Amino acid sequence: MAQQLSCSFCGRTKKDGAFLITGVKANICEQCVMQAHEIVMEEFKISRKQFPAKPNLLKPVEIKKYLDQYVVGQDETKKVLSVAVYNHYKRIIHAENRQKDEVQVEKSNIIMVGRTGTGKTYLARTLANLLQVPFAIADATVFTEAGYVGEDVESILSRLLQAADYNVKAAEKGIVYIDEIDKIARKADNPSITRDVSGEGVQQGLLKLLEGSIVNVPPQGGRKHPEQKMTPVNTENILFICGGAFDGIERIIARRMNTNPIGFTNEKNNLVEDTEDLLQFVTHQDLKTFGLIPELLGRLPVVTSLEPLSRETLKKILYEPKNALTKQYQKLFEMEGIKLVFEESALDYIVDKAIELNLGARGLRSICEAIMNDAMFELPSQRDIKIFEIDADYAAEKFEKSKLAKLKVA
């Protein structure tokens, strides 16, 4: 008769319900593994992420002040986010203390619309640094319907669980930012007759997450580890913020707001004065026409838009925020004992090129890297240089030699 395996530490067997990990000459059960883990953590003072039982209520003005230190402009969007996060905190506290007959506060999920490079993802990342709740950022472009190559929408909550260090109670009070939400729009403003596995099908999969339900989440992500145990997560108190560029939605807004009078005439009744920033007039109807299903939009009641970056705003991004690009380069050179100085003319040149390439704030770093690369390569070896100044002539010389200079913008 074969000898029954047992835990070498506590003696439990499979009959006792033990899950045994077998080694060369010893076995250990899951309970002893957990106890050993706690002993090691205590010995080396390794602590898990701690999230307060009751979040620290930061007022909307305080949240916006923090965002102002890192993000230039976009005041309206920062106000919307600050209010949403503040109400999220209050809603969590209210849900814990609410009596049966009291009013139930519904969550207000947000959708942000803005051109590429205007700061949607950067706002979310900056917000994550401030918050005392788990915060996860997911990209909607990788999601497909269940059964197809790609990721399930439940993997959004897998990332949130990881951010919460697998503390389910903390994750259930978290905030999720879903980027590139426009990439899952259906191809036309009518119900699809063919299967749209990475578009409308994903939108329908997101409904249960946004609405608030108990979802079985694979802790390590779904399709690569099908044998793992599922973790139930209640999404009722999770705030969802969605963002997307919605390229081409300006044409939809323009058609809605510019009307032709009846009859044969060339006159046009222009209802919009500011045609440069049509996104400020975006509505749920425009998003529906773009390709988001009404059921999804109903679960994203707050719509806010980000302003296009003006020349002045782009210039401020270079030097004003706490982690401005010029400050980052100055810090790198300071570590080499070199004082880096950007002249006004150099900043103007960089901004002009960013506008020409039409890449938004994201393009500023690419242009700066093209200009700074030779200096960052040569100067660390030249110990006699203590001050290095960059003017428009130097910036133009280095940029024109780079591959970026060959880009043609349509």
Side-chain angles (χ1 to χ4, degrees):
M1 184 177 175
Q3 185 180 359
Q4 189 172 12
L5 295 176
S6 63
C7 177
S8 304
F9 291 85
C10 67
R12 291 170 69 229
T13 65
K14 287 192 175 182
K15 274 188 178 179
D16 301 322
F19 174 77
L20 294 175
I21 302 170
T22 305
V24 179
K25 293 183 179 179
N27 310 302
I28 186 170
C29 69
E30 79 283 3
Q31 290 186 3
C32 292
V33 168
M34 291 170 69
Q35 288 176 10
H37 178 62
E38 294 295 333
I39 292 168
V40 170
M41 289 177 70
E42 180 61 31
E43 181 67 26
F44 292 99
K45 303 297 180 186
I46 303 169
S47 60
R48 289 189 161 196
K49 293 178 185 176
Q50 297 296 319
F51 298 98
K54 288 189 176 180
N56 179 26
L57 269 177
L58 288 170
K59 302 291 191 244
V61 172
E62 296 168 351
I63 297 172
K64 185 179 179 295
K65 274 184 183 176
Y66 179 84
L67 293 175
D68 285 339
Q69 294 176 38
Y70 296 92
V71 182
V72 177
Q74 311 299 358
D75 283 337
E76 189 60 36
T77 300
K78 285 189 283 193
K79 283 180 184 177
V80 170
L81 287 175
S82 300
V83 170
V85 170
Y86 178 63
N87 286 342
H88 180 62
Y89 282 125
K90 287 200 297 185
R91 185 174 177 274
I92 289 170
I93 294 170
H94 175 73
E96 291 172 350
N97 303 325
R98 182 172 63 91
Q99 304 298 323
K100 286 184 180 179
D101 57 343
E102 275 194 280
V103 174
Q104 182 177 354
V105 181
E106 296 291 338
K107 63 178 174 179
S108 297
N109 297 320
I110 303 169
I111 185 163
M112 294 192 294
V113 182
R115 295 177 189 172
T116 183
T118 50
K120 299 181 296 296
T121 309
Y122 186 61
L123 269 169
R125 289 189 186 280
T126 307
L127 201 56
N129 295 331
L130 173 68
L131 299 179
Q132 292 180 305
V133 293
F135 192 106
I137 295 179
D139 194 324
T141 56
V142 299
F143 300 132
T144 57
E145 276 191 66
Y148 292 84
V149 175
E151 290 190 24
D152 294 322
V153 292
E154 287 79 12
S155 64
I156 295 173
L157 299 180
S158 299
R159 290 187 179 89
L160 188 62
L161 269 178
Q162 290 162 11
D165 206 10
Y166 296 97
N167 181 341
V168 177
K169 285 188 177 179
E172 289 179 344
K173 300 174 184 176
I175 296 177
V176 172
Y177 176 70
I178 305 175
D179 202 5
E180 307 289 358
I181 194 74
D182 56 314
K183 303 303 185 292
I184 60 169
R186 63 188 180 200
K187 304 302 179 281
D189 187 23
N190 59 344
S192 58
I193 56 173
T194 57
R195 188 165 288 282
D196 186 8
V197 298
S198 62
E200 187 176 346
V202 176
Q203 292 187 53
Q204 290 166 354
L206 283 171
L207 296 180
K208 61 180 179 180
L209 269 66
L210 299 179
E211 178 67 22
S213 59
I214 296 174
V215 181
N216 287 323
V217 180
Q220 305 299 328
R223 300 173 187 178
K224 293 180 182 177
H225 308 278
E227 74 286 347
Q228 66 186 313
K229 293 180 180 176
M230 298 291 189
T231 302
V233 176
N234 189 349
T235 66
E236 188 179 351
N237 289 326
I238 297 175
L239 180 69
F240 289 89
I241 303 171
C242 301
F246 291 90
D247 188 31
I249 199 170
E250 287 99 335
R251 290 193 294 272
I252 296 171
I253 299 169
R255 280 201 304 269
R256 173 174 58 82
M257 301 200 72
N258 297 316
T259 59
N260 283 319
I262 297 172
F264 298 97
T265 175
N266 290 326
E267 293 181 7
K268 180 175 279 192
N269 181 18
N270 191 356
L271 300 179
V272 186
E273 292 180 5
D274 185 5
T275 56
E276 290 297 315
D277 183 17
L278 284 172
L279 286 182
Q280 64 181 302
F281 304 109
V282 68
T283 64
H284 282 91
Q285 182 59 40
D286 300 321
L287 296 172
K288 177 179 176 291
T289 306
F290 187 87
L292 295 187
I293 62 175
E295 299 93 324
L296 184 70
L297 291 170
R299 290 160 174 81
L300 296 164
V302 180
V303 178
T304 182
S305 65
L306 282 80
E307 304 161 4
L309 299 179
S310 64
R311 194 180 187 285
E312 293 73 22
T313 305
L314 282 170
K315 190 172 179 181
K316 283 183 180 178
I317 289 170
L318 283 172
Y319 66 86
E320 192 173 279
K322 265 193 174 182
N323 56 347
L325 273 173
T326 54
K327 292 178 183 177
Q328 292 179 37
Y329 288 112
Q330 285 166 344
K331 189 67 180 177
L332 288 172
F333 277 83
E334 185 185 311
M335 293 164 76
E336 299 288 345
I338 300 171
K339 182 181 179 182
L340 179 65
V341 178
F342 284 91
E343 292 189 5
E344 193 83 10
S345 61
L347 298 180
D348 289 333
Y349 179 84
I350 293 168
V351 171
D352 289 341
K353 289 300 171 185
I355 293 171
E356 185 181 314
L357 295 175
N358 197 25
L359 293 174
R362 194 176 284 113
L364 292 174
R365 176 170 285 280
S366 301
I367 295 164
C368 287
E369 284 290 326
I371 293 169
M372 300 295 302
N373 193 58
D374 284 351
M376 290 190 290
F377 177 76
E378 296 165 1
L379 294 187
S381 302
Q382 300 176 11
R383 297 296 176 188
D384 55 327
I385 295 179
K386 299 299 178 187
I387 298 178
F388 185 67
E389 295 184 2
I390 295 177
D391 58 12
D393 293 335
Y394 178 88
E397 178 193 344
K398 296 299 179 184
F399 181 80
E400 291 304 321
K401 291 179 182 177
S402 70
K403 292 179 181 178
L404 273 177
K406 297 178 176 63
L407 283 178
K408 299 291 182 186
V409 180

